[in-house]
Structures are given as C-alpha cells and as structure tokens.
Amino acid sequence: MANLNIKLVKSAIGCKPNQRKTIEALGFKKREQVVVKPDNAQIRGMINVVKHLVEVTEA
C-alpha cells in the first residue's frame, strides 16, 4: 500500500471548525509541517475537506 506525503501550506486560522478539526486529526501542529499517511479512502476524504490548505504528493 502506498503512502501520501501531506504538507500543510496554509494556516487553519479563519477556517470553519470542521476544517480545523480535520487538520488536527491529520496530525498537523503547525504550518509547513509534513505528515505521512497511508493512501486509503478515509485519508483521501479528509484531504478533500481541506484541499485548499494542503499539498499532497505520493511517497
């Protein structure tokens, strides 16, 4: 199974509460941080909620 490198490129300040909680659930603590997550439907759905804040590449 492949992994995804997810980078938070924009701050969650001013976002809706559900988007802020999704950022926290993905494991982000600060901007420009990169987390590695498995490529599955749940993670893809979370990325879709905050697609305007993150940058995704395959690992």
Side-chain angles (χ1 to χ4, degrees):
M1 184 177 276
N3 287 331
L4 297 173
N5 286 338
I6 310 166
K7 181 178 182 180
L8 184 63
V9 294
K10 282 187 149 186
S11 174
I13 295 172
C15 291
K16 295 179 181 177
N18 69 321
Q19 293 173 343
R20 195 175 296 206
K21 288 180 182 178
T22 302
I23 290 293
E24 290 175 13
L26 283 170
F28 291 109
K29 299 288 184 194
K30 52 184 152 180
R31 216 175 111 248
E32 299 299 323
Q33 183 180 355
V34 176
V35 296
V36 178
K37 296 288 181 181
D39 187 5
N40 57 37
Q42 291 83 7
I43 299 298
R44 289 284 183 169
M46 293 169 80
I47 290 170
N48 194 40
V49 171
V50 293
K51 62 187 170 202
H52 57 290
L53 302 174
V54 297
E55 194 175 84
V56 181
T57 57
E58 286 194 19

